[in-house]
Amino acid sequence: MTGLTPENQAVPSMVPVTKHVPELGPPAKPKRNKYAFACAILASMTSILLGYDIGVMSGAMIYIKRDLKISDLQIGILAGILNIYSLLGSCAAGRTSDWIGRRYTIVLAGAIFFAGALLMGFAPNYAFLMFGRFVAGIGVGYALMIAPVYTAEVSPASSRGFLTSFPEVFINAGIMLGYVSNLAFSKFPLKLGWRFMLGIGAIPSVILAIGVLAMPESPRWLVMQGRLGEAKRVLDKTSDSPAEASLRLEDIKEAAGIPADCHDDVVQVSRRNSHGEGVWKELLLRPTPAVRRVMIAAIGIHFFQQASGIDAVVLFSPRIFKTAGLETDHEQLLATVAVGIVKTSFILVATFLLDRVGRRPLLLTSVGGMVLSLAVLGSSLTVIDQSDKKVMWAVVLSIATVMTYVATFSIGAGPITWVYSSEIFPLRLRSQGSSMGVVVNRVTSGVISMTFLPMSKGMTTGGAFYLFGGIATVAWVFFYTFLPETQGRMLEDMDELFSGFRWRDSKNNKNSSSNPEVEIGLNKQ
């Protein structure tokens, strides 16, 4: 063989030749990309809009009911209907973002929510308030779909989990702001307090509209429009190394149907690729086995996130604390602020674990903790409900398990739902596929929110949480058997990952290795 010395040729073929290679040690971990970090923060701020609405409505509904003299059924509809209205925004957001770009879709989301918040703040009656929630709901639907998609598309693979979890971080920050707003305006006159609570939600959307001017467009959207030069400049800024930027560009070009040897700044791309035409047929009517599996995974993770009762706890926490034995509005709102603090704290912990521990371990641990918390919460509330006098240990246990439930949710099921569903769809299907997941998420949330009060009366509050615990148990089984690990994988690798995954692979995680070419590129830096 060419290149071998006579001494080497004399060695029998069955004996391995020992080569002395200097030890390189583990690859150096790349520094966090600050530009991608800033882009993710600005995009994810849209999620504050939903979070604030959820948080503020939990306290505002106490005063709305007194001022407008409406029933529990009307309150439940008022609280949950925004999720149904958001379907219009979520369904339209995928196509809108393919037409005008991810960045301007974020601006549109903020503008619509701004109008809705003002309408709610000035609402003179129940009907006008419902119209304000209709407008705000459309804005929330846009925001929920576009923030994770933009962040996933702009993030390098090494920190995609960390950055794509930001929308959930900002949802929790919004919930916390809503709880604080409730406490701050609770002492205002009845007719002004709840209107200030709702109307002040217009402020984040103004900040968002200004901040988005500093963001670049998604490189994947730019490639779909044939604007390769702009996409390359964005990838150079948002990748961990020049090698990774080149690799990401080649992968995106391949996914968009652009030849690898094409290096022009602007190229002609078919209308089918650039504007998302034919996508619904590929998603719903004629999906490949891998796309079908991706759709089931995305819809399943969004359904179970909400069906396990998180929005019932967040929206109706003052009512839950009242059932548990806290009697005054101030005590209930103060305990609700504590829920917000716990929820926000644990979501911050989760952001740092996603790219270290992986999606699956965090998700399974999270849902396991939720099952246990819901079982104990259901039991303690049942004890309180069946007792004629105040059972102090059950009151304390109820409050504690509400905290552990939101903590375990926030460390896994909360952020991973948005991270996972935004990274598993192929490029051409990503916008509409993600919007399908958001639709399922909001429908489930709306149904849970609007039926929680009637369900609590029909089967007791404790019984409702037993039901949520049962659903969370089914969710754990689904996640274990159906969801492969995506940590460290390039977005363009997901089709191969899902087409080859079998549930038994989850035991040894053999599909979770990161892209070797990226690691080589990083190690050269």
Side-chain angles (χ1 to χ4, degrees):
M1 184 180 295
T2 306
L4 292 179
T5 64
E7 290 78 14
N8 284 340
Q9 289 178 337
V11 178
S13 59
M14 66 205 46
V15 179
V17 179
T18 304
K19 295 184 179 181
H20 298 285
V21 180
E23 293 186 10
L24 297 176
K29 185 175 180 181
K31 293 181 179 180
R32 191 81 68 188
N33 188 299
K34 293 179 181 178
Y35 189 78
F37 182 87
C39 292
I41 286 181
L42 288 171
S44 302
M45 281 178 63
T46 58
S47 301
I48 283 183
L49 308 180
L50 173 65
Y52 184 83
D53 186 88
I54 293 172
V56 80
M57 188 52 67
S58 69
M61 66 175 68
I62 298 173
Y63 306 103
I64 292 171
K65 183 179 180 182
R66 291 174 190 167
D67 185 25
L68 302 182
K69 297 176 174 57
I70 55 180
S71 66
D72 273 349
L73 178 61
Q74 289 174 300
I75 279 291
I77 292 172
L78 182 68
I81 200 68
L82 181 132
N83 297 302
I84 306 300
Y85 292 152
S86 70
L87 299 182
L88 297 175
S90 296
C91 290
R95 194 63 180 268
T96 303
S97 68
D98 280 345
W99 273 92
I100 67 173
R102 313 317 195 207
R103 186 170 64 156
Y104 289 114
T105 304
I106 294 173
V107 175
L108 182 62
I112 296 172
F113 187 86
F114 176 81
L118 290 182
L119 288 171
M120 290 190 290
F122 288 103
N125 52 45
Y126 184 77
F128 199 92
L129 185 57
M130 286 290 283
F131 177 68
R133 289 190 72 68
F134 169 75
V135 176
I138 294 175
V140 164
Y142 268 96
L144 274 178
M145 195 291 292
I146 196 59
V149 168
Y150 175 88
T151 308
E153 292 186 346
V154 83
S155 303
S158 63
S159 56
R160 191 175 60 243
F162 172 72
L163 297 179
T164 314
S165 66
F166 279 15
E168 182 68 14
V169 172
F170 280 97
I171 287 176
N172 283 272
I175 290 172
M176 185 66 201
L177 289 174
Y179 287 161
V180 172
S181 174
N182 290 336
L183 200 60
F185 294 115
S186 62
K187 302 298 183 184
F188 276 47
L190 181 62
K191 290 186 178 297
L192 287 180
W194 65 266
R195 289 182 169 87
F196 271 111
M197 293 174 190
L198 297 177
I200 205 169
I203 293 176
S205 58
V206 175
I207 298 172
L208 171 69
I210 296 171
V212 80
L213 298 176
M215 290 165 46
E217 185 50 84
S218 158
R220 286 171 169 84
W221 183 81
L222 290 171
V223 170
M224 288 171 65
Q225 306 307 306
R227 293 153 63 178
L228 302 186
E230 292 177 61
K232 185 179 185 305
R233 288 191 288 274
V234 175
L235 286 169
D236 287 340
K237 291 180 179 180
T238 59
S239 298
D240 290 329
S241 69
E244 186 191 8
S246 298
L247 180 63
R248 288 172 70 186
L249 181 60
E250 293 307 312
D251 284 343
I252 298 168
K253 283 163 61 178
E254 181 182 354
I258 298 174
D261 58 355
C262 178
H263 300 294
D264 296 337
D265 282 353
V266 179
V267 300
Q268 188 69 33
V269 180
S270 71
R271 183 182 178 87
R272 176 180 171 84
N273 280 337
S274 63
H275 296 302
E277 305 222 348
V279 167
W280 292 114
K281 185 183 292 184
E282 288 185 50
L283 274 175
L284 302 176
L285 299 181
R286 296 176 184 172
T288 64
V291 169
R292 185 183 300 112
R293 189 181 185 92
V294 165
M295 275 294 295
I296 295 171
I299 288 173
I301 197 170
H302 275 286
F303 169 78
F304 284 118
Q305 186 206 46
Q306 291 299 327
S308 56
I310 185 61
D311 275 4
V313 172
V314 173
L315 267 173
F316 298 103
S317 48
R319 185 74 65 103
I320 295 167
F321 290 132
K322 184 177 181 180
T323 304
L326 301 184
E327 296 174 359
T328 68
D329 290 350
H330 186 74
E331 287 177 341
Q332 294 161 18
L333 293 177
L334 207 56
T336 301
V337 170
V339 170
I341 292 172
V342 170
K343 202 169 186 300
T344 305
S345 300
F346 277 85
I347 190 67
L348 290 173
V349 173
T351 60
F352 292 99
L353 295 178
L354 274 166
D355 288 315
R356 301 186 182 199
V357 178
R359 282 52 156 168
R360 277 178 59 87
L362 269 184
L363 184 61
L364 295 173
T365 303
S366 164
V367 177
M370 289 162 58
V371 170
L372 184 60
S373 298
L374 287 166
V376 177
L377 178 58
S379 300
S380 56
L381 288 174
T382 301
V383 169
I384 293 169
D385 188 55
Q386 298 297 322
S387 179
D388 295 331
K389 58 182 181 179
K390 194 170 186 177
V391 184
M392 199 60 201
W393 65 266
V395 172
V396 173
L397 192 59
S398 296
I399 296 171
T401 48
V402 168
M403 304 298 176
T404 60
Y405 172 71
V406 297
T408 51
F409 174 87
S410 296
I411 209 163
I416 290 173
T417 295
W418 302 103
V419 172
Y420 202 88
S421 62
S422 66
E423 66 187 1
I424 60 178
F425 283 99
L427 174 61
R428 254 181 44 75
L429 312 179
R430 189 167 298 138
S431 294
Q432 284 85 343
S434 296
S435 69
M436 284 287 292
V438 175
V439 165
V440 172
N441 188 288
R442 293 297 89 199
V443 167
T444 310
S445 174
V447 170
I448 294 294
S449 301
M450 289 190 286
T451 59
F452 179 72
L453 291 179
M455 187 164 54
S456 296
K457 289 182 179 179
M459 61 191 300
T460 74
T461 306
F465 285 111
Y466 280 136
L467 176 61
F468 294 146
I471 293 172
T473 303
V474 177
W476 193 96
V477 175
F478 173 80
F479 297 152
Y480 181 81
T481 58
F482 209 82
L483 304 189
E485 178 60 76
T486 58
Q487 178 191 9
R489 300 295 293 246
M490 297 288 286
L491 292 181
E492 286 67 35
D493 293 340
M494 295 301 170
D495 187 71
E496 176 188 350
L497 176 64
F498 273 82
S499 61
F501 179 76
R502 299 294 179 270
W503 77 270
R504 291 181 183 84
D505 297 341
S506 63
K507 294 182 178 179
N508 56 23
N509 249 359
K510 72 182 183 182
N511 276 321
S512 64
S513 61
S514 25
N515 191 307
E517 292 183 76
V518 175
E519 290 189 1
I520 291 170
L522 294 175
N523 201 30
K524 288 178 181 178
Q525 301 309 305

